[in-house]
Amino acid sequence: MTMQQRTEPSPAAVLISVAVLALVLTVAFGPLGFVIGLALFALMFIGSKKKPAEQSLPSRTRSRIRRLSTAGRVAIVGESYYQDAIAEVAKHATAHSSDEPIPATAVLVPEPSDGHDRQAVRVDLLRGDGCAVTAGYLRTDQAADYQPLLLELAERGEVGSCPARIMGGGQRHYGVHLQLGAPRLLLLDHEALGTAPTMPAEHQVTVTGEEAHQHVLHRVVNGHTPVHVIAELRDCRIAKGSHTGEHTLEVLLEGECIGQLSYAMGLRYCDVAQEWRARTGRALCEAVIVNEGTRGLHAKLLLPR
């Protein structure tokens, strides 16, 4: 997925054009022409001030949008300065009621050249046409942790993206929070399943039966742990034990099974996975593969509460 860049004349070009027009009017109509030219200049200046903030990412970071971990919730700051821009994104989204958050997609843009804060991270929201408008910034203390990773992505021609939720509207100011993982697990190691959304990563769930699939796990981690991946959940039946024949969910990595949920967890998440599959096409979730020494490699799924 790439962002479109909107091409518009620069403010300097507009002002030069107005100045030339004012000069022509002055020569043609004398003092009256000068007054008309001055009025045009004032109108253009006021119009430029009222225009909502809109950002196009630098060309080197528009090559690819990189999915970031959603295993966390981060509030942003400064939304009061960008209410018109946030409202523009919100009006094109649909929510079930005025009290529910409005879903959006955010991109995180590091700004090491910011004159006020060299560790700043700008938060933009994507509009329907692919252009981005600024909604605010990460808090200063959080930005210091996230910016180095985001700069690494920028060097590779990538920009980090995560789901966002817009709250408020109507008589209330808009606020924005991000579904964004902690810096230590921000970058997914394996994301071969494309841009399909993952289920909210709010609760850690263990996988059973991994001892029979260690070869798959070892191939995925390739000698490095912990590894942050995207897994797929698929309906299956329990093959052995006291709940043989009952429904649960098997866990797939790169199309191969690495285990399944217990009977109790299957009861809890089968309907959730089915609903997510109906909405998005696939029941995808984040997972972390860890090395537990003599117990081998194990996967911890990150699922909704």
Side-chain angles (χ1 to χ4, degrees), residues 102-217:
I102 299 170
T105 299
V107 290
L108 305 182
V109 185
E111 292 188 337
S113 59
D114 187 297
H116 300 288
D117 181 4
R118 295 190 179 278
Q119 295 177 321
V121 174
R122 193 179 78 230
V123 178
D124 293 349
L125 298 179
L126 294 185
R127 302 189 317 193
D129 60 3
C131 289
V133 293
T134 297
Y137 284 79
L138 294 187
R139 281 200 337 253
T140 300
D141 59 325
Q142 293 177 321
D145 294 327
Y146 283 101
Q147 195 197 70
L149 295 168
L150 297 171
L151 287 173
E152 287 181 18
L153 292 182
E155 289 299 324
R156 299 202 295 264
E158 298 176 323
V159 61
S161 174
C162 67
R165 294 294 180 266
I166 302 173
M167 300 160 291
Q171 301 300 315
R172 297 178 296 165
H173 270 53
Y174 285 108
V176 177
H177 75 256
L178 309 178
Q179 293 179 348
L180 183 66
R184 65 185 180 86
L185 288 177
L186 185 65
L187 304 183
L188 296 167
D189 298 285
H190 294 265
E191 51 173 345
L193 293 171
T195 58
T198 54
M199 288 184 273
E202 301 168 338
H203 178 66
Q204 191 174 97
V205 175
T206 58
V207 178
T208 65
E210 295 150 303
E211 60 277 1
H213 306 282
Q214 289 292 298
H215 64 291
V216 178
L217 291 167

Side-chain angles (χ1 to χ4, degrees), residues 76-87:
I76 72 172
V77 296
E79 302 104 305
S80 59
Y81 296 101
Y82 305 102
Q83 290 293 297
D84 290 344
I86 299 172

